[in-house]
Amino acid sequence: MIDNQHPLGTGFTAASTAADVLDGIDLTGRNTIVTGGHGRLGREVTRALASAGASVTVASRDVERARAVVAGIRGVVVDELDLTDPASVEAFADRWMASGRPLHALVNNAAMLFTPELRLDSRGNELSFSTSHLGHFQLSQALLPALRQANGARVLTVTSGAARGGEIRWDDLAFSRGYNAGAAYGQSKRANVLFTVEFDRRYAGEGIRAFAAHPGVIIGPGPHDPSRVASYREQGLIDENGITIIDPEGGKKTVEQGAANLVFGAASPLLDGVGGVYLKDSDVAKLDDEVRPLTATSIPSDANSAMLNADDARRLWMLSEELLTR
């Protein structure tokens, strides 16, 4: 809720790492799922949670690749999940439920980044919306019995500062009347926050709290794809020599710094009693409704009222239910 959208004063900073956030926290006996937990950011989340004692299941469409990436991280297993395929989501949830394990934290991390051309899933949904939102929407509900069993669980969904300007195209979610990669990405990230708001409203009374987390802009140390160098330089993400610019206060982070906000949402006791909010820099983000342009030196990423709109959150929930029954 917007009433809760104000910093707690956690003491962490934009430069804090996942290790800093989990310092002194023992997650032994806690079960966690991280979708896409073998990607660059996901792997660091997986590693950090496992290092604190959690049992982590990495959910991946490419099981063999995921196993190779997380090999050697104690307490981690890999299971198959294709978020764009409802049957795959159902099968994954069924396997988890059959194991009888409670689920203490679900980290909805997997996402589709910008794609230059329109891509649809098998049901005709735009692929980034299908992956980032619809698949996680279905998964989170399918795992509700295990979340309830934990007697205090969290659903953490990775979003982006792009949610500030992202709009839900209520009458054309699949961009049939003209595709724009940035708009598609923004729509999926806005959907992540709206989902968080409504999920928390529905299930907070059962001890399941939801958070949306912005990790910052993370492009990695390089070497970078030559086709992206010009764009990265224009955005102020690399210098004239192609070296990644790290400026945590400016939103440009290392993987370890980006993962901090995710593990904060998934496991920090500082968030006990809180939910339905958007996180930034390992704290609840401040509310900022000023229109702020994205530039090479400024990456607006605080919360705004539009991304937390309760009416839009309920509307999206009902629309998502309809899309999953088609």
Side-chain angles (χ1 to χ4, degrees), residues 65-87:
R65 176 172 174 267
R67 284 176 176 156
V69 171
V70 301
I73 305 178
R74 182 177 298 179
V76 177
V77 297
V78 177
D79 199 358
E80 184 176 6
L81 173 65
D82 182 348
L83 288 162
T84 68
D85 179 359

Side-chain angles (χ1 to χ4, degrees), residues 40 59 98 110 138 176 188 212 224 232 265 268 307 311:
R40 183 171 58 220
Q138 180 188 0
S176 63
S188 70
H224 301 294
Y232 283 167
S268 176
M307 70 166 74
D311 291 334

Side-chain angles (χ1 to χ4, degrees), residues 61 80-93 121-123 125 127 130-131 134-136 138-139 324:
R61 188 172 52 184
E80 184 176 6
L81 173 65
D82 182 348
L83 288 162
T84 68
D85 179 359
S88 176
V89 176
E90 182 178 353
F92 176 92
D121 68 12
S122 61
R123 299 161 293 165
N125 299 303
L127 201 58
S130 176
T131 303
L134 276 182
H136 287 135
Q138 180 188 0
L139 179 66
L324 289 174

Side-chain angles (χ1 to χ4, degrees), residues 22-286:
L22 293 179
D23 184 36
I25 296 176
D26 184 1
L27 300 179
T28 302
R30 298 179 67 85
N31 300 314
T32 303
I33 294 171
V34 183
T35 67
H38 60 294
R40 183 171 58 220
L41 181 61
R43 184 186 184 280
E44 179 59 19
V45 172
T46 295
R47 187 206 62 75
L49 292 171
S51 295
S55 297
V56 182
T57 296
V58 169
S60 173
R61 188 172 52 184
D62 188 341
V63 171
E64 293 307 315
R65 176 172 174 267
R67 284 176 176 156
V69 171
V70 301
I73 305 178
R74 182 177 298 179
V76 177
V77 297
V78 177
D79 199 358
E80 184 176 6
L81 173 65
D82 182 348
L83 288 162
T84 68
D85 179 359
S88 176
V89 176
E90 182 178 353
F92 176 92
D94 286 347
R95 289 192 298 273
W96 184 278
M97 298 308 304
S99 75
R101 291 171 292 171
L103 178 58
H104 300 88
L106 170 61
V107 180
N108 292 325
N109 166 73
M112 283 290 300
L113 297 179
F114 298 89
T115 56
E117 297 180 354
L118 176 64
R119 297 173 62 187
L120 305 176
D121 68 12
S122 61
R123 299 161 293 165
N125 299 303
E126 190 275 320
L127 201 58
S128 59
F129 185 82
S130 176
T131 303
S132 295
H133 172 63
L134 276 182
H136 287 135
F137 177 85
Q138 180 188 0
L139 179 66
S140 301
Q141 293 186 87
L143 291 169
L144 272 172
L147 290 164
R148 291 185 177 113
Q149 188 182 347
N151 294 316
R154 296 186 183 179
V155 174
L156 182 284
T157 302
V158 181
T159 184
S160 162
R164 284 179 59 88
E167 296 183 354
I168 306 298
R169 294 166 58 112
W170 299 107
D171 61 345
D172 188 24
L173 291 171
F175 289 84
S176 63
R177 297 195 294 272
Y179 176 71
N180 178 281
Y185 180 73
Q187 174 175 257
S188 70
K189 297 295 100 180
R190 171 69 66 85
N192 291 151
V193 185
L194 293 174
F195 162 73
T196 293
V197 170
E198 180 64 6
F199 190 97
D200 193 79
R201 186 189 73 82
R202 288 172 177 254
Y203 301 113
E206 300 182 49
I208 308 170
R209 306 310 303 258
F211 304 92
H214 167 60
V217 178
I218 304 162
I219 64 171
H224 301 294
D225 182 338
S227 67
R228 297 190 176 188
V229 166
S231 175
Y232 283 167
R233 186 172 290 121
E234 182 180 357
Q235 296 175 66
L237 301 177
I238 61 174
D239 64 19
E240 63 277 7
N241 298 313
I243 305 300
T244 299
I245 295 172
I246 301 300
D247 175 18
E249 292 294 338
K252 304 166 187 178
K253 300 190 177 188
T254 66
V255 172
E256 294 80 6
Q257 291 166 345
N261 199 32
L262 278 56
V263 300
F264 173 73
S268 176
L270 295 176
L271 286 172
D272 287 349
V274 180
V277 294
Y278 168 88
L279 308 175
K280 173 186 172 182
D281 296 340
S282 304
D283 202 341
V284 177
K286 69 179 182 180

